[in-house]
Amino acid sequence: LFQLVVTVVFVLAGAPFGTIGVMFGFIARGVVVATYNLIILSREAKIEPWAVVGTVIPPAVAAAVMVGLVEIAKFQLVGHVPAIPLLLILIPVGAATYGVALFGGDLVGLWRGYVRDAAASLANAFNGGGPKPKEVPA
């Protein structure tokens, strides 16, 4: 209910400014809801907010670098390349940029070990790892 109310308030506040205003409304809504969720996690699950923030920083930075490079490539190619081929070019550019940014940040020490830990976690999930259901006595 909280998220719904916050979404309505921010979208209505941004609507007079058009699509860009609504976009900023959604961004503001995301910040407010994420802050609320961090407070609840901290209070109820005893999860430190900075531990959560530290976990999302690497993919957020990599995504920002990816968006920047895709926008630059799109700006350079629009008008020269038809829409579908442009999309087929931008998708691998974005994917490669994201991966390089994530690995690059790891290599230079911005978030050392993040890629290794994420890969190990993913491999563990596919190998049947993770929490096991508790047996309930009959």
Side-chain angles (χ1 to χ4, degrees):
L1 184 61
F2 172 74
Q3 290 185 38
L4 176 64
V5 170
V6 170
T7 300
V8 169
V9 167
F10 281 111
V11 168
L12 288 175
F17 302 99
T19 307
I20 301 296
V22 171
M23 179 192 66
F24 277 107
F26 272 108
I27 292 169
R29 170 231 175 254
V31 169
V32 169
V33 170
T35 302
Y36 173 77
N37 288 339
L38 286 173
I39 291 167
I40 297 301
L41 279 171
S42 177
R43 186 179 72 208
E44 300 298 328
K46 307 298 184 235
I47 296 173
E48 287 297 317
W50 287 112
V52 175
V53 171
T55 301
V56 299
I57 284 176
V61 170
V65 170
M66 176 191 70
V67 167
L69 193 66
V70 166
E71 284 298 315
I72 291 169
K74 184 174 77 171
F75 179 77
Q76 295 297 319
L77 296 173
V78 164
H80 303 291
V81 178
I84 299 299
L86 177 63
L87 183 62
L88 294 174
I89 292 168
L90 294 179
I91 290 171
V93 165
T97 302
Y98 182 83
V100 167
L102 212 51
F103 279 105
D106 207 344
L107 282 173
V108 300
L110 293 176
W111 43 75
R112 193 163 307 282
Y114 179 86
V115 174
R116 179 195 64 238
D117 294 346
S121 178
L122 188 62
N124 189 34
F126 280 111
N127 292 331
K132 303 287 184 223
K134 294 181 181 180
E135 290 187 28
V136 178

